[in-house]
Amino acid sequence: MTPTRKRRLTLFLGILAGVSLAVGIAIYALQDNLLYFQSPSDVIARNIEPGQKFRLGGLVERGSVQRDPQTLLASFDVTDGKETIRVEYQGILPDLFAEGQGVIAHGRLAGSGQFVADDVLAKHDETYMAPEVADALERAGHPVKKKLSDSETVASGGR
Amino acid sequence: MSEATTSWQRIKVWFHRWGSPAWFYAASGHMIPWLWAGFALLALPGLYLGLFVAPPDYLQGDSYRIIFIHVPSAWMSMMIFALMAIFGLIGMVWRIRLAETMAICSAPIGAAFTLITLITGSLWGKPTWGTYWQWDARMTSELVLLFLYVGVLALYESIEEPRKAARAASLLALIGLVNLPIIHYSVQWWNTLHQGNTIRLNLAESSMDTSMLVPLLLLVVATKFYYAAVLLARSRSMLLHQDQHKNWPRELLVAD
């Protein structure tokens, strides 16, 4: 390699290293602000004030979904395995909303410690399965997430 | 001179030939039909298996089939950006014109794949998550990738002299490389709405049914052939356009 080329190569790799370092530090500093949602443990650890808007994320606790038969009001527990927060939501839940499935709710804490959601999104996980495989897993005693209509019958009929 | 040195010399000579626009124009012309054939042979069975043969997902039903377009496009959007930066670096350091051409010609292809990724993801997001768009880390960083591609092209267009323009655009591509690990690791570093990676390097650990994995992998390889074919075709026409008053195009076309 000629000296000129070597100098250019060092220069450009140096620029790349410098920019990576700068971006790395910026991302590290902004880490908390880049969180798309807070888990129930985060909410309790950070003492989030009632009325402050944020996104709560976690799994819908099995057997916790209650729906008002007259209105669109639904309530359910969101858990991360350690802490649990009760969520109230008035509106249409997404198709993939299910017990045991991930959700992200946007809203705020009410004074009672309940979370009042303005918006509920279903969080999809990275598993893709054929329905027959899911059924086989279920029969073998591994609970698989189910759509709400199915899980409601499971909840009322006992498991 | 030993046998090894002479064959090394031969490889070097062969490699240097690619630097000649006339040689590149002729050689790539022979390769492009084969690349298109490879694309068709992988993409057609991949799409058939993915859209008609693979079973529906246990939770999402048929809407998950968008993955057969979304994931190959997303991977291409990142791979092409990395290759564009590498071609650009070679162009900037060694001042090889063909490397500069290939870097610039990669940008519109990569931008198209990025746009397809964002659109298919958004269409899938509505029935699955309940929203077309959220500013989570994965989606935002992929959108930044689209802006970087557009920036590379805009910078190239804004400078008159093509070789200077290509080097300026290459520098932006090199700096934009920082975004690729952010896109890839965004789902691990932060809580995101977007799910984690389904496909692992070790395929046995991938959380996907084999009947779905096979068409997906066929399309992943098919898109590489597509990129190679389009990249060579674009580079040829760019060289031909820039060199229209030189001798080699006339000689080639007259010989034909």
Side-chain angles (χ1 to χ4, degrees):
Chain A
M1 210 187 277
T2 63
T4 342
R5 286 173 184 170
K6 204 173 258 177
R7 191 168 42 81
R8 282 190 212 134
L9 185 63
T10 345
L11 172 69
F12 292 126
L13 292 180
I15 292 175
L16 182 62
V19 173
S20 312
L21 189 70
V23 171
I25 291 171
I27 286 176
Y28 185 75
L30 291 171
Q31 201 136 40
D32 284 353
N33 296 316
L34 284 169
L35 288 183
Y36 181 73
F37 61 83
Q38 321 268 339
S39 69
S41 302
D42 292 336
V43 174
I44 286 163
R46 282 175 200 168
N47 261 325
I48 296 181
E49 297 275 312
Q52 196 187 326
K53 286 224 169 188
F54 65 97
R55 290 192 190 85
L56 172 71
L59 295 177
V60 179
E61 185 106 71
R62 284 173 190 278
S64 75
V65 180
Q66 284 178 354
R67 301 186 118 178
D68 183 342
Q70 309 302 320
T71 66
L72 284 173
L73 189 71
S75 67
F76 47 90
D77 287 340
V78 168
T79 177
D80 58 2
K82 286 187 209 124
E83 302 288 349
T84 301
I85 290 179
R86 189 81 185 159
V87 174
E88 254 180 28
Y89 176 61
Q90 178 116 36
I92 297 165
L93 291 163
D95 273 3
L96 283 197
F97 179 88
E99 296 189 345
Q101 171 77 284
V103 287
I104 293 175
H106 187 218
R108 62 206 168 285
L109 287 172
S112 56
Q114 284 201 345
F115 185 88
V116 182
D118 307 320
D119 222 352
V120 173
L121 300 177
K123 183 166 158 51
H124 179 58
D125 71 5
E126 66 271 22
T127 314
Y128 294 80
M129 259 193 282
E132 304 84 66
V133 179
D135 286 348
L137 277 176
E138 190 94 329
R139 275 198 302 275
H142 299 284
V144 180
K145 283 151 247 161
K146 288 218 162 168
K147 291 211 178 194
L148 191 61
S149 50
D150 305 333
S151 57
E152 272 176 339
T153 53
V154 170
S156 56
R159 307 180 198 199
Chain B
M1 279 286 132
S2 69
E3 185 79 0
T5 347
T6 50
S7 46
W8 171 241
Q9 286 296 331
R10 226 175 276 153
I11 291 172
K12 249 180 134 176
V13 168
W14 179 84
F15 185 76
H16 278 274
R17 272 198 190 145
W18 282 95
S20 142
W23 167 270
F24 173 79
Y25 191 89
S28 58
H30 292 299
M31 288 165 70
I32 289 171
W34 294 103
L35 292 169
W36 279 121
F39 169 68
L41 283 175
L42 291 161
L44 293 176
L47 284 173
Y48 177 72
L49 288 175
L51 300 183
F52 299 104
V53 178
D57 182 59
Y58 74 114
L59 205 59
Q60 305 172 51
D62 279 326
S63 74
Y64 91 96
R65 291 183 199 276
I66 216 153
I67 197 178
F68 297 118
I69 308 292
H70 179 76
V71 169
S73 305
W75 288 359
M76 287 311 284
S77 72
M78 294 168 69
M79 190 194 93
I80 294 176
F81 201 95
L83 286 175
M84 179 172 76
I86 292 169
F87 287 139
L89 183 69
I90 295 173
M92 286 188 293
V93 174
W94 282 272
R95 304 280 158 108
I96 298 172
R97 183 175 164 219
L98 188 65
E100 293 166 6
T101 311
M102 303 253 274
I104 297 307
C105 291
S106 294
I109 314 170
F113 275 118
T114 314
L115 199 61
I116 291 171
T117 306
L118 289 167
I119 292 172
T120 51
S122 164
L123 290 176
W124 175 84
K126 187 64 185 170
T128 314
W129 296 328
T131 177
Y132 286 114
W133 183 264
Q134 288 287 311
W135 294 100
D136 91 335
R138 174 52 77 75
M139 291 165 226
T140 310
S141 55
E142 183 75 12
L143 185 66
V144 169
L145 187 72
L146 180 65
F147 294 159
L148 281 169
Y149 273 121
V150 174
V152 166
L153 284 169
L155 192 56
Y156 178 74
E157 292 300 329
S158 69
I159 300 174
E160 194 93 15
E161 210 273 296
R163 299 211 46 187
K164 264 189 194 152
R167 288 202 294 269
S170 298
L171 186 61
L172 179 58
L174 190 70
I175 291 171
L177 216 48
V178 177
N179 193 30
L180 294 188
I182 299 180
I183 299 176
H184 181 79
Y185 290 108
S186 55
V187 289
Q188 290 172 30
W189 288 345
W190 303 295
N191 296 335
T192 50
L193 178 60
H194 196 286
Q195 64 271 25
N197 303 331
T198 295
I199 313 299
R200 306 285 151 76
L201 229 41
N202 178 356
L203 286 177
E205 282 176 18
S206 298
S207 34
M208 190 181 217
D209 213 70
T210 319
S211 55
M212 304 168 178
L213 195 58
V214 170
L216 182 59
L217 292 178
L218 283 174
L219 286 160
V220 162
V221 182
T223 45
K224 310 277 182 287
F225 277 89
Y226 174 87
Y227 166 64
V230 178
L231 174 65
L232 290 183
R234 292 193 88 102
S235 304
R236 287 177 101 211
S237 55
M238 187 181 251
L239 288 174
L240 197 61
H241 179 74
Q242 287 174 353
D243 287 1
Q244 50 189 314
H245 302 301
K246 292 197 175 154
N247 279 330
W248 69 263
R250 209 166 304 139
E251 280 161 17
L252 260 178
L253 296 175
V254 169
D256 276 357

